[in-house]
Structure formats: C-alpha cells, structure tokens
Amino acid sequence: MTVDDTGSGADTNGADPGGDPHPLAVRLEALILGAERRYTPFQAARTAGVSMELATRFWRAMGFADVGQAKAFTEADVLALRRLAGLVEAGLLSEAMAVQVARSTGQTTARLAEWQIDSFLEGLTEPPEPGMTRTEVTYPIIELLLPELEEFLVYVWRRQLAASAGRVVQAADDEEMVDRRLAVGFADLVGFTRLTRRMEEEELGELVEAFETTAADLVAAHGGRLIKTLGDEVLYAADDAGVAAEIALRLIETMANDETMPELRVGIAFGTVTTRMGDVFGTTVNLASRLTSIAPRDAVLVDSDFAQELIRTAEAPASEAEAAEAAAAAEKEGEEPPAYRFALQPMWQRPVRGLGVVEPWLLTRRSETTA
C-alpha cells in the first residue's frame, strides 16, 4: 500500500501534502508495487468487498497513515484486503488476529525496508561516474535487485516459519505454546550513554551496528533466538539453559577481545515467559533486565531458577565441593568424572525494585584446572 507510515498523512513520494509527487518516485512506486495508483481508500475497500472501517483497521495496523480520499491504492492493495478478509470469513483467523497479522507484518517489513534503503540501496545508487546523478542509476538498480530480494525474503520467512512451527509442536501442551519456560538474556554495553557524548554520530552508528551484528551471529550460531536489539542492548531467548549460558559467555569473551568495543554485562533468568508478536513479556524478562543492570563489567549474573536448571541438567555443579566428590566417586568406580561446562558462585542477596529480594549467581566458564 502506498500510504506514508510516518503518521503525517503526507504522500509517500516525498511531495508536500497536496503537491505533485516526484516523477521518479512515481515510477519507482509503480515498479515496486507492480501497478499504478487507481483507487481512493473508499473505492479500494468497496472493490475488495470489505467495510471501510475494517479496511482502515488493516491499513493502520500495517503502519500506513490516513490519506483522505486521494487515489493512493493499487490492485495489490485490493487483493491484500481480500485475502485478509477472506481468512476471517473462512474462520481461519478471528478479526482481531487478522489485525495482529497485519500489524506484525507491517512493523517487521517497515524496519527491513528502511534498513535496505538506508544502508544498502543508498550505497549501490552512488553515481558510478562523474556527471551521473543518483536519479539516473536508482531505477535500473532497483529493477535488477527487486526480484532477487523478494525471492530471498520469502525464502528466509519460510525458514523462520518452519523453525518456529517446529518449536510450537514440541510444546508439552497448548498452554505451553503461549506461556513457555525459557531462558531470557539481556546483554548491555557498559557506559553507552557516555559514549554518545564523546563519539561522532557515524562512529557511534558503526559501533552499534558491529555490536548488533556480532550478537546476532553468536545468538544464532549457538541455537538461541534474537528477540530484539535496542542499540546498546540485545535481548535473546533459548529453550535450554545451557544454550543461553554459552551465548552469554561467548558474548563476553568476544567483546573483551575487541579493543573497539566497550565492556559488556549480561543478565539471564529462567522461567515462564509470555510470547506475543515475536516479543517476550513477564516477570522472567523483567528479572533478566534487572540482573543486567547490577551485573559487574564483563560478567554474567543469573537468577536462582536459572542456576538450578544448569545444576539439574548437569551443566554446572552445585558447588566445587560437590564436583570434587563426584569426581572422586567416578575415579573410584573407574568411570569418567562429570564434564561440567559452567561454574556458579552465589552472590549476596539484594532487593530488586518491583521483584523483591533476589539471589544472583555469577556464571563463569569452568576452567580446565577445576574440570
């Protein structure tokens, strides 16, 4: 749909409200959408067989502003309305769920589109030769890229959908599909506010991008899921406490070896988490955030439930004394001693705003000398 998503109601082609759109913007829009503007909002809703009220709910959910009765919609917009309304009519989705689908898709793709234009297409459309304008190279570049990017987007979406569906069907029961027990971790750059006052904007942008890229790669490589990035902070989740612990320590170790990066601190909690539209909510998430705020520099703090989960799954001993006893017993029986990956050290109990008194544990990687 071709309505501006800034909330201003302005035309997406960059013209002032009521003014004429840029000719190249009109051509680009027709190229990308595969059709020209033909319908007013009322005409699009009527052609799709959808009430204006429902059409407006869908459009706003997708992030598009109201445009009055300007001709701003194409055949593709009409088809999208028909499809969403058809899912409701067939009983496959409730109206509220269809609006959620529109909202989650709109929010996700809006960020992707902004990134591609800002970071990708701008670089490609730099004039290759003196005297050429960006306008002269933009259209052919987008014309070449569009089908490839579209195919890649669908491929990645299908892959992610398959992975998410697999996690859902493995849930123990229907309730667990929504309220699940997960390990949730926050990783936060130390002193980021001070950095924003000292660094140039371009340098700061490069640092944030490097941090987010490194974190995303590590989370994915070790079997976690990146929930969101917040500039100086990333939020990730994992079904397994051992996976979450490995990601946290890898983040600390990787950032510590990069002299350009600030110090990092990580907080992890384990427990019931509510998932909505790709995000996570609940006391467990809040606790992980609070643990991050009190964690020492280049260190990982976890809550007691997370610590107990590592102990239960034999990823960490309850204490070094217990580890020594287990090793001695294994040696006596001629067996291999337990191969603990992590070590846990109980820290001082402290009150945490909104969550009462918590007992943090310091998570470290078990050294060879104690293994």
Side-chain angles (χ1 to χ4, degrees):
M1 291 169 200
T2 59
V3 192
D4 177 51
D5 63 358
T6 62
S8 64
D11 189 282
T12 50
N13 289 326
D16 292 331
D20 294 327
H22 192 289
L24 176 61
V26 174
R27 290 181 61 216
L28 283 173
E29 181 183 274
L31 170 67
I32 294 170
L33 297 179
E36 295 182 352
R37 300 181 178 201
R38 181 176 175 182
Y39 302 103
T40 66
F42 177 77
Q43 290 169 337
R46 184 177 60 183
T47 305
V50 177
S51 71
M52 189 63 200
E53 179 184 0
L54 182 58
T56 301
R57 288 187 67 196
F58 283 149
W59 290 328
R60 288 176 178 172
M62 283 183 273
F64 304 121
D66 299 336
V67 292
Q69 286 306 309
K71 281 193 175 181
F73 296 95
T74 71
E75 292 289 351
D77 298 312
V78 171
L79 181 58
L81 280 178
R82 281 185 185 147
R83 283 176 170 159
L84 276 174
L87 291 172
V88 176
E89 290 172 6
L92 295 173
L93 295 177
S94 67
E95 186 175 305
M97 181 59 68
V99 171
Q100 280 194 357
V101 168
R103 179 170 289 110
S104 62
T105 306
Q107 290 177 355
T108 302
T109 53
R111 184 178 181 189
L112 174 63
E114 289 289 341
W115 182 90
Q116 288 177 331
I117 294 298
D118 291 344
S119 304
F120 187 44
L121 292 181
E122 280 194 7
L124 285 177
T125 55
E126 287 293 337
E129 297 179 11
M132 290 189 70
T133 65
R134 180 174 303 215
T135 299
E136 290 174 318
V137 296
T138 298
Y139 190 95
I141 287 293
I142 291 181
E143 190 173 30
L144 290 171
L145 283 173
L146 186 62
E148 300 301 324
L149 291 177
E150 183 176 19
E151 289 290 335
F152 186 69
L153 174 62
V154 173
Y155 156 73
V156 175
W157 171 72
R158 284 181 177 271
R159 267 287 182 185
Q160 294 286 6
L161 193 64
S164 182
R167 289 192 295 269
V168 167
V169 298
Q170 291 177 32
D173 51 46
D174 289 345
E175 185 176 338
E176 188 180 331
M177 289 169 60
V178 178
D179 297 317
R180 305 163 59 190
R181 287 181 64 77
L182 297 175
V184 177
F186 278 93
D188 177 57
L189 292 175
V190 178
F192 184 77
T193 302
R194 291 194 301 275
L195 284 176
T196 60
R197 293 194 289 263
R198 298 203 318 262
M199 299 179 72
E200 297 291 334
E201 287 185 6
E202 185 173 348
E203 290 179 301
L204 194 63
E206 290 174 354
L207 184 146
V208 168
E209 184 176 358
F211 169 57
E212 291 184 349
T213 299
T214 300
D217 287 349
L218 286 172
V219 169
H222 294 282
R225 298 188 298 284
L226 187 69
I227 304 299
K228 59 186 173 184
T229 59
L230 303 168
D232 62 329
E233 189 173 61
V234 297
L235 170 62
Y236 70 93
D239 298 315
D240 181 79
V243 168
E246 182 66 29
I247 290 170
L249 292 172
R250 292 271 183 173
L251 283 169
I252 294 289
E253 293 159 0
T254 302
M255 297 298 174
N257 289 328
D258 188 340
E259 294 181 355
T260 66
M261 282 289 171
E263 295 164 304
L264 191 70
R265 54 191 177 193
V266 182
I268 316 177
F270 185 84
T272 301
V273 174
T274 298
T275 59
R276 289 287 187 280
M277 294 177 61
D279 208 343
V280 291
F281 307 92
T283 302
T284 301
V285 180
N286 295 338
L287 179 54
S289 177
R290 298 288 190 272
L291 288 169
T292 305
S293 66
I294 63 174
R297 296 165 182 258
D298 285 338
V300 182
L301 282 188
V302 305
D303 76 324
S304 57
D305 285 347
F306 186 90
Q308 292 306 314
E309 184 67 12
L310 286 182
I311 294 169
R312 185 188 70 81
T313 56
E315 295 277 15
S319 66
E320 286 305 319
E322 181 179 290
E325 290 177 7
E331 183 178 1
K332 185 176 180 180
E333 297 294 330
E335 300 173 352
E336 287 291 323
Y340 299 115
R341 285 199 293 161
F342 309 111
L344 293 163
Q345 178 185 343
M347 307 293 282
W348 60 96
Q349 292 186 350
R350 62 170 63 188
V352 173
R353 181 168 53 87
L355 297 171
V357 176
V358 299
E359 182 185 3
W361 294 64
L362 182 67
L363 173 74
T364 57
R365 197 179 296 284
R366 204 146 182 272
S367 65
E368 294 296 326
T369 57
T370 59

